[in-house]
Amino acid sequence: MTSRERTDFWSEHVTSYQARMGYSYPRTDDFHAGTIRQCTDTYQLVKFWSDTIKYTRTAGQVRHHPDEDYRLVLPLAGELVMRQDDQEIRLMPETGFLLTFATPFEALHDASTRTLIMSIPAQEVNGRLNRSSPIATGLDLTTGLGRVVGDMLTGLHKERDTLTGGQFDAVSDKLVELLCMLAAGDDRPTAPGHLTEVETVVRRYIREHAADPDMTGATLAQALGWSLRQVQLALQHGGTTPRELIREERLQLVRDRLRAPAYRHMTITELAYASGFSSSSALSTAFRQRFGVCPREMRHGGPSPSAIRSGVD
């Protein structure tokens, strides 16, 4: 095969795997390149390498050869320069890029670069991120959730000969879920890698704000600067949910106030409202389910404090 035939073949080869693009070869006299491909009807993962080349997807190609899907791009060696939406990002190993073919771009690939590129259906990304636009930012895959995503992507490639199609799709599904959390910035709480630390902060916040009747999982997540999903994951790690923990802390608050002389002047209804409950009946129902007595019985005797403490524990 002549050098010209090799470059023509490469252009057709990459187009068949990806989408219509332009190819600029600084050198055509001795071009070398190669790919390793894994694919199912849903996902595709390609490792590719080549001599220096520039890929260009123009506005005309976007219009006449539409492709709405995303590509997760991760250099394994060398450097890959991506230009899209008037931004330029230099990708090194352990830095990913979520690229859309629905917007023009340029990619500069030198001879030292080895790259993984995963094709992801647009609906798998847009639905989770509530958007349909490129994410023009580098993704740090060195720590926390980013490292998990990077390890999963490279692991998929390394285990290509042992995974079934179903297993490949199952891992890809989970990878995309985590990728979208990362792209949305939802990995911030887990960046230290300790869900227990996140859980501790969330529990402390709920305990300190239990009396707020408007507190929900969403509002506390917003107050802490995290996503609701991350709060849910942290509490799931501890065996509970935001809703359950808020209710538990409010019940504990009422129990403590029923015992405290400083709150003797307050009626049960007043205590209910002051402790975040919507009504005295809502408090009474939840309180009896939790402690086995109603608030009034607790105030006027009820089970011994030691029995109540053991019940809490």
Side-chain angles (χ1 to χ4, degrees):
M1 183 181 292
T2 67
S3 295
R4 179 63 182 175
E5 288 174 328
R6 285 203 295 270
T7 56
D8 287 346
F9 171 79
W10 184 249
S11 298
E12 295 173 2
H13 181 65
V14 174
T15 295
S16 69
Y17 280 4
Q18 303 299 338
R20 182 67 61 184
M21 291 184 288
Y23 303 85
S24 177
Y25 300 89
R27 292 185 58 188
T28 60
D29 55 339
D30 192 24
F31 183 77
H32 296 87
T35 60
I36 300 174
R37 184 192 190 200
Q38 304 161 254
C39 69
T40 64
D41 291 339
T42 306
Y43 297 102
Q44 172 182 268
L45 180 59
V46 179
K47 178 182 179 181
F48 71 97
W49 59 94
S50 74
D51 291 339
T52 301
I53 185 174
K54 180 169 78 171
Y55 301 94
T56 304
R57 185 157 165 83
T58 66
Q61 290 167 335
V62 169
R63 185 167 55 254
H64 296 297
H65 305 279
D67 185 330
E68 299 294 327
D69 293 343
Y70 290 86
R71 273 72 171 178
L72 173 58
V73 182
L74 174 62
L76 300 175
E79 179 183 73
L80 182 64
V81 179
M82 302 295 306
R83 295 171 181 157
Q84 189 170 57
D85 272 6
D86 298 322
Q87 296 191 47
E88 177 178 295
I89 296 177
R90 294 182 175 272
L91 301 179
M92 306 294 287
E94 298 186 316
T95 303
F97 185 79
L98 193 55
L99 171 72
T100 175
F101 272 45
T103 300
F105 67 83
E106 288 184 350
L108 283 67
H109 187 286
D110 66 33
S112 66
T113 305
R114 303 289 184 270
T115 303
L116 288 175
I117 179 166
M118 183 178 198
S119 299
I120 304 171
Q123 65 270 18
E124 298 296 327
V125 174
N126 294 338
R128 289 186 170 99
L129 294 183
N130 192 28
R131 70 170 80 192
S132 55
S133 61
I135 293 88
T137 182
L139 300 171
D140 182 4
L141 305 185
T142 61
T143 61
L145 189 57
R147 183 172 182 178
V148 174
V149 170
D151 288 348
M152 290 179 72
L153 188 64
T154 56
L156 268 177
H157 172 69
K158 291 176 181 178
E159 298 301 321
R160 61 189 178 277
D161 294 329
T162 63
L163 295 176
T164 66
Q167 291 169 338
F168 177 79
D169 278 347
V171 176
S172 297
D173 284 340
K174 180 56 66 176
L175 187 155
V176 171
E177 178 184 350
L178 299 177
L179 171 66
C180 289
M181 292 168 59
L182 179 65
D186 290 350
D187 60 314
R188 284 172 292 175
T190 55
H194 301 293
L195 281 175
T196 52
E197 294 179 6
V198 181
E199 180 190 352
T200 299
V201 174
V202 171
R203 285 182 178 275
R204 182 185 304 119
Y205 181 90
I206 292 176
R207 185 174 300 114
E208 292 174 353
H209 297 83
D212 179 0
D214 296 324
M215 183 170 58
T216 65
T219 61
L220 74 90
Q222 184 178 18
L224 292 170
W226 297 338
S227 72
L228 176 58
R229 179 59 178 160
Q230 283 300 304
V231 170
Q232 291 170 333
L233 286 173
L235 293 183
Q236 180 181 349
H237 180 257
T240 188
T241 67
R243 183 187 182 92
E244 292 170 350
L245 187 56
I246 290 170
R247 181 179 61 185
E248 175 63 16
E249 289 297 338
R250 286 173 176 165
L251 289 171
Q252 298 281 357
L253 180 62
V254 172
R255 184 200 63 178
D256 292 344
R257 287 176 171 178
L258 286 170
R259 294 173 173 176
Y263 291 89
R264 284 285 181 183
H265 67 284
M266 296 181 68
T267 66
I268 301 300
T269 299
E270 290 170 339
L271 274 176
Y273 290 132
S275 304
F277 285 91
S278 60
S279 67
S280 60
S281 60
L283 167 61
S284 294
T285 299
F287 200 90
R288 182 178 289 277
Q289 290 175 345
R290 177 65 180 86
F291 299 111
V293 295
C294 69
R296 195 174 305 279
E297 291 171 331
M298 169 85 55
R299 170 171 277 177
H300 297 293
S304 67
S306 60
I308 296 169
R309 280 195 295 271
S310 64
V312 171
D313 296 336

